[in-house]
Amino acid sequence: MVNQRILFNKFLIILMILGLSSCDFTSGLNQDILIAQKYVDNQDFGKAVELYERVLKKNPSKQIKTKINYQLAEIYYLYLDEQVKALKYYQFIVDNVDDPLWQVKSLEKIADINFNFSKNYLQAIHAYQILMQVKPRLKNYDYYYLKVGEAYFEMGRYEKARGIFNAIMDQPTNPYYVDAFYQMGLIEFYSKNWDKAVEFWMEYLKRERRKDQVVKVKFLIANAYESNEMLKEAYNIYYSLLPSYPNPDVLRARLKSLYARRVARKR
């Protein structure tokens, strides 16, 4: 998989800097770039990063800077598992490359890193909203819209998130129509509106076919019942999940606790 990524990455870079070999950079600079690429081919990413950074300090042409910034971004994002460090390099592409394809690819990575790794949800929203403004509408538009809603949820801005997920639920053909019910359930759960959370999740279960998600949401429904002091209902769902839940010890602990609470009630 890693080798396939490297080959694909090299192909993209060749497309982006087509004609680079005819540029007026020194043979020494050219040699450094070739050696750095060889390090990438051999998966010696630390040495590649070090050499690429040295080349950048020599203030090469904009075209060469573009290639190196994209390479560094991909190395940090894909291979070194240091996604946040990739941000400034992707931003260089956004700011300096006119090709919309490369701007879109880099903005998607910026949004993903801010959402999933640095947890900078405002910056993620900013990147997704730029992508949503591209004309004609990009094929991932609905995904960007969903992620904006999820970012607002993560920030605790539930009314903003509700508006987005409600809009998605009004579009049965939207690829994230089912996901919106799940997200609305989460909003109500964290707002301690237990009945509403269960209502949304029940609607979600009518539409969801992925077994792992069904198990996950049933557990959440049981949790909502438990939080709402509906102990019998919570107990029954936890018990039904014993054969399929990935960590049955968690369920057994919940069942034991619920049993004790139900017994205490009857005293």
Side-chain angles (χ1 to χ4, degrees):
M1 178 63 73
V2 171
N3 286 332
Q4 289 178 340
R5 285 178 180 174
I6 293 169
L7 289 172
F8 182 63
N9 185 46
K10 287 175 67 178
F11 173 70
L12 291 177
I13 292 167
I14 289 168
L15 288 179
M16 183 174 67
I17 59 165
L18 194 62
L20 181 62
S21 59
S22 62
C23 294
D24 57 344
F25 52 85
T26 67
S27 58
L29 205 59
N30 185 23
Q31 189 68 21
D32 284 343
I33 292 172
L34 292 174
I35 293 170
Q37 186 56 55
K38 197 167 288 185
Y39 285 143
V40 173
D41 295 342
N42 294 330
Q43 301 181 35
D44 195 344
F45 301 116
K47 286 185 177 179
V49 166
E50 184 180 344
L51 187 49
Y52 277 135
E53 291 286 9
R54 285 211 306 266
V55 172
L56 284 178
K57 287 178 181 178
K58 295 177 181 178
N59 197 28
S61 69
K62 180 179 175 180
Q63 200 169 21
I64 298 172
K65 283 182 183 177
T66 299
K67 171 188 176 179
I68 294 173
N69 273 272
Y70 191 81
Q71 271 285 51
L72 286 167
E74 293 289 275
I75 288 170
Y76 280 121
Y77 183 86
L78 294 173
Y79 311 126
L80 292 181
D81 198 26
E82 297 185 74
Q83 289 81 6
V84 176
K85 287 187 177 180
L87 280 172
K88 70 175 183 178
Y89 302 106
Y90 284 125
Q91 191 62 52
F92 181 92
I93 305 300
V94 172
D95 295 338
N96 292 278
V97 179
D98 294 330
D99 188 331
L101 171 65
W102 292 101
Q103 290 206 353
V104 167
K105 286 173 64 64
S106 297
L107 277 167
E108 286 180 336
K109 298 286 180 64
I110 288 169
D112 175 64
I113 292 168
N114 277 307
F115 187 98
N116 290 307
F117 299 99
S118 67
K119 309 300 182 185
N120 189 336
Y121 298 111
L122 276 178
Q123 287 300 314
I125 289 169
H126 178 68
Y128 284 127
Q129 287 178 335
I130 293 173
L131 289 163
M132 289 169 63
Q133 292 168 5
V134 174
K135 303 294 181 185
R137 179 180 289 193
L138 296 169
K139 67 177 182 178
N140 289 330
Y141 178 95
D142 292 321
Y143 173 76
Y144 307 146
Y145 191 48
L146 175 77
K147 298 305 287 184
V148 170
E150 290 181 1
Y152 279 127
F153 168 76
E154 294 292 343
M155 294 167 62
R157 298 179 65 178
Y158 295 150
E159 287 308 309
K160 282 275 194 180
R162 275 193 184 97
I164 290 172
F165 297 132
N166 272 319
I168 294 173
M169 289 191 301
D170 286 338
Q171 306 169 42
T173 59
N174 189 301
Y176 303 101
Y177 172 71
V178 177
D179 297 84
F181 287 93
Y182 170 73
Q183 295 294 338
M184 285 293 284
L186 286 179
I187 289 173
E188 300 303 344
F189 183 85
Y190 283 100
S191 300
K192 299 184 179 181
N193 298 325
W194 317 119
D195 290 336
K196 284 188 176 180
V198 169
E199 183 181 332
F200 280 115
W201 283 331
M202 289 295 190
E203 290 300 316
Y204 174 84
L205 290 178
K206 291 177 183 177
R207 299 164 172 83
E208 182 57 77
R209 297 294 175 264
R210 291 171 293 178
K211 289 183 179 179
D212 60 331
Q213 281 296 110
V214 168
V215 169
K216 177 181 177 180
V217 170
K218 284 183 176 179
F219 180 88
L220 289 171
I221 290 171
N223 203 331
Y225 281 142
E226 185 178 355
S227 301
N228 205 21
E229 295 298 318
M230 298 174 68
L231 304 186
K232 180 180 178 181
E233 291 81 353
Y235 188 96
N236 290 340
I237 293 178
Y238 285 138
Y239 188 81
S240 73
L241 291 174
L242 276 173
S244 54
Y245 196 72
N247 190 348
D249 287 341
V250 170
L251 293 183
R252 292 188 187 99
R254 291 288 180 103
L255 289 167
K256 184 178 179 180
S257 173
L258 283 171
Y259 180 78
R261 289 169 66 184
R262 291 176 69 188
V263 169
R265 272 187 179 181
K266 294 176 181 179
R267 289 174 180 168

